[in-house]
Amino acid sequence: MVYAESSNLGKTYSLLMIKSFLIWTFTLAVCLLVVGFPLVVLMATVGCLLSIILQSVMPVSAVLLVAGGLIMFNVMAVVLAAGVLTLKGVHPSEVKWLSWLHGEADKMQATVYAACPLTCEIK
């Protein structure tokens, strides 16, 4: 009985870790594409220059090598950051600026119309 309960808890914990890792991966990838757009432009510029330089050394696969390296660098950065955040135990629901991810709407002030004090109390 004790083994069955501990096995079930282990499965639940591992599923929560996988879910947290996947949510972090999605969130960091979206943030890299949206917020990190200047960084992407800079990487593309450096990649173009690097591919022009490498073209003289290896004419067949310079562009493929540089493009693959930049894409792999971005993917590995996102996966590594998601893994570190998951292993530290930071869950995306604990992060304040990720309310858009959970569907939690910001508390907005209710609209008060100018005529309401005159008409709201009439029964």
Side-chain angles (χ1 to χ4, degrees):
M1 181 68 182
V2 174
Y3 176 72
E5 289 176 2
S6 66
S7 175
N8 192 17
L9 289 176
K11 287 180 184 177
T12 304
Y13 182 71
S14 64
L15 286 176
L16 286 175
M17 291 288 282
I18 291 171
K19 180 182 173 186
S20 177
F21 175 76
L22 291 175
I23 291 173
W24 274 122
T25 304
F26 169 75
T27 304
L28 292 173
V30 168
C31 288
L32 178 67
L33 291 175
V34 175
V35 179
F37 184 73
L39 181 66
V40 172
V41 170
L42 182 67
M43 284 189 302
T45 305
V46 170
C48 288
L49 293 174
L50 189 61
S51 121
I52 290 171
I53 293 169
L54 282 177
Q55 189 70 29
S56 64
V57 178
M58 51 173 66
V60 176
S61 62
V63 175
L64 181 64
L65 180 70
V66 171
L70 286 174
I71 291 171
M72 186 58 68
F73 173 74
N74 285 326
V75 168
M76 292 305 293
V78 167
V79 168
L80 185 67
V84 167
L85 287 169
T86 302
L87 290 176
K88 280 192 168 194
V90 180
H91 196 271
S93 63
E94 299 170 357
V95 180
K96 184 178 180 180
W97 58 272
L98 287 178
S99 62
W100 59 270
L101 187 64
H102 317 180
E104 299 170 4
D106 293 333
K107 304 290 189 238
M108 296 181 68
Q109 190 174 13
T111 305
V112 178
Y113 298 103
C116 191
L118 300 173
T119 59
C120 289
E121 298 299 321
I122 296 175
K123 295 184 181 183

